[in-house]
Amino acid sequence: LAMLLQPGAGKSELLNSDDVSSYQQTLNKENSAQDSAAKQTFDQTLINLFPKNPLQAMTEENMLQIITFAIFIGVGIIMVGSKAQMVHKILEQTNEVLMYIVTMIMNVFAPIGTFGLVAHAFTGAGFGAIQQLGMYFFIVLLALVIHFFVVYGSAVKLLGRTSPLKFYKEFIPAITLGFSASSSTATLPVSLECTKKMGVRREIASFVQPLGATINMDGTAIMQGVATVFIAQISGATLSFTQIITVVVIAVVASIGTAGVPGVGLIMLAMVLNAVGLDPAAIGIILGIDRLLDMTRTSVNITGDATCALIISKAEERKLATKNE
């Protein structure tokens, strides 16, 4: 679709925008942090796994130290047993409160923030740039819609032997939550509940869908492919057939390694752009309008996970029925 409709046809002034410069500074900071981490010796790396101050590790978002601290807390609660019931309950209640706050923010304030990001992206560009960004947005959305209804619908009908309309109707609660939360992982409990109502066996759903939330990112792969072609077009670069195949392969591999949290697809996009010699700083161009697309592709991703779970469950049912005969 991107090669056919050419959303970025003609070299664009978008590459000279403040968004690109701002994103380049972000990349420079990340590269500097990676360089300093790469220079660490093995013993320093091990020492840095343990936080001197757990609260400081949390405020600085040092995930490795946070995870290490969490593991020790978890092991401690298990070993102490019933004596730690109060601590366990406090942590569970704190988690419930925080999840409520996050959900409230995503449902109430996230749409306002998304509108602000998109408005800033469009008001800061000329009419030609708005047209190009609009075409990029439309193509990604069109590709996601085709994948959602044609690919998944066909798979549900032919492989799952289930009515696609029934499937989509029963999975709507998860789709809407995925759209608002933009996180496959956060939507997982609702997704599992929806597939349970469809008749998907619990042991299959509880394995396939969490696995899919980690490695099955069809919507992210679609976005990365279209974004790479779009950035190449506005840069005035022509991708060869070999480079296009490289984009497809690396976009799929990068999507497998993408975490199920909001916005992480753009981070992996940098790897795809580097593979074909394009400037990762150009990601700043699509940063403002990506939030809405992120919401849409999350819905696509979780629907793909449910489709896989349904197909496997139905296949197992047919296999058991054949054995019983």
Side-chain angles (χ1 to χ4, degrees):
L1 286 171
M3 297 296 291
L4 182 67
L5 300 178
Q6 298 189 349
K11 195 168 182 177
S12 173
E13 291 300 316
L14 280 169
L15 289 171
N16 301 324
S17 66
D18 293 337
D19 294 322
V20 175
S21 303
S22 175
Y23 199 76
Q24 182 62 65
Q25 292 174 3
T26 303
L27 287 174
N28 291 339
K29 289 179 182 177
E30 290 177 357
N31 291 334
S32 176
Q34 288 172 2
D35 290 341
S36 61
K39 292 176 183 176
Q40 288 181 352
T41 60
F42 181 70
D43 59 328
Q44 286 176 323
T45 304
L46 287 178
I47 291 169
N48 286 337
L49 289 174
F50 301 93
K52 294 179 180 178
N53 185 333
L55 293 178
Q56 183 181 358
M58 292 177 192
T59 56
E60 293 177 354
E61 298 181 8
N62 191 326
M63 290 308 299
L64 286 177
Q65 292 186 357
I66 293 170
I67 291 169
T68 304
F69 179 69
I71 289 171
F72 275 98
I73 292 292
V75 171
I77 290 173
I78 292 169
M79 296 305 293
V80 171
S82 59
K83 293 180 180 179
Q85 280 184 351
M86 184 62 72
V87 177
H88 189 197
K89 189 174 286 186
I90 289 172
L91 290 174
E92 280 191 332
Q93 291 172 346
T94 303
N95 179 63
E96 289 295 326
V97 171
L98 291 175
M99 287 304 297
Y100 173 79
I101 293 171
V102 170
T103 304
M104 181 184 66
I105 290 171
M106 294 306 301
N107 291 334
V108 179
F109 298 107
I112 299 171
T114 301
F115 175 80
L117 283 171
V118 176
H120 177 266
F122 280 106
T123 54
F127 179 75
I130 292 173
Q131 187 178 18
Q132 286 179 320
L133 285 171
M135 277 296 291
Y136 163 77
F137 186 93
F138 170 74
I139 290 170
V140 175
L141 200 59
L142 179 61
L144 292 173
V145 168
I146 291 172
H147 195 73
F148 186 84
F149 288 106
V150 178
V151 178
Y152 292 158
S154 301
V156 168
K157 180 68 176 176
L158 300 176
L159 302 176
R161 299 183 185 180
T162 303
S163 167
L165 288 176
K166 182 184 176 185
F167 171 79
Y168 290 127
K169 184 179 178 181
E170 292 180 343
F171 201 63
I172 277 179
I175 293 171
T176 52
L177 179 61
F179 185 80
S180 61
S182 295
S183 170
S184 302
T185 306
T187 315
L188 200 50
V190 178
S191 299
L192 287 168
E193 194 60 35
C194 289
T195 50
K196 181 183 177 182
K197 290 178 181 177
M198 292 179 202
V200 176
R201 289 166 57 187
R202 191 67 179 178
E203 63 269 25
I204 291 175
S206 61
F207 174 76
V208 173
Q209 288 179 262
L211 180 66
T214 307
I215 67 171
N216 183 41
M217 301 288 183
D218 298 359
T220 303
I222 287 171
M223 178 278 292
Q224 290 172 347
V226 176
T228 302
V229 174
F230 172 68
I231 289 170
Q233 288 171 352
I234 63 173
S235 303
T238 303
L239 296 176
S240 66
F241 180 75
T242 305
Q243 286 178 313
I244 292 170
I245 297 298
T246 302
V247 168
V248 172
V249 172
I250 297 200
V252 172
V253 173
S255 69
I256 291 172
T258 302
V261 294
V264 77
L266 289 176
I267 298 170
M268 303 304 291
L269 175 59
M271 184 171 71
V272 181
L273 293 176
N274 278 322
V276 290
L278 295 172
D279 186 6
I283 293 173
I285 297 167
I286 61 174
L287 205 58
I289 62 170
D290 187 70
R291 180 59 184 178
L292 285 172
L293 293 175
D294 191 19
M295 296 160 76
T296 309
R297 62 179 179 260
T298 298
S299 296
V300 172
N301 291 339
I302 63 171
T303 306
D305 303 337
T307 301
C308 293
L310 176 70
I311 291 169
I312 293 171
S313 183
K314 293 295 182 182
E316 286 297 305
E317 286 176 12
R318 292 194 294 271
K319 189 176 177 181
L320 288 171
T322 305
K323 279 185 177 181
N324 293 332
E325 290 174 0

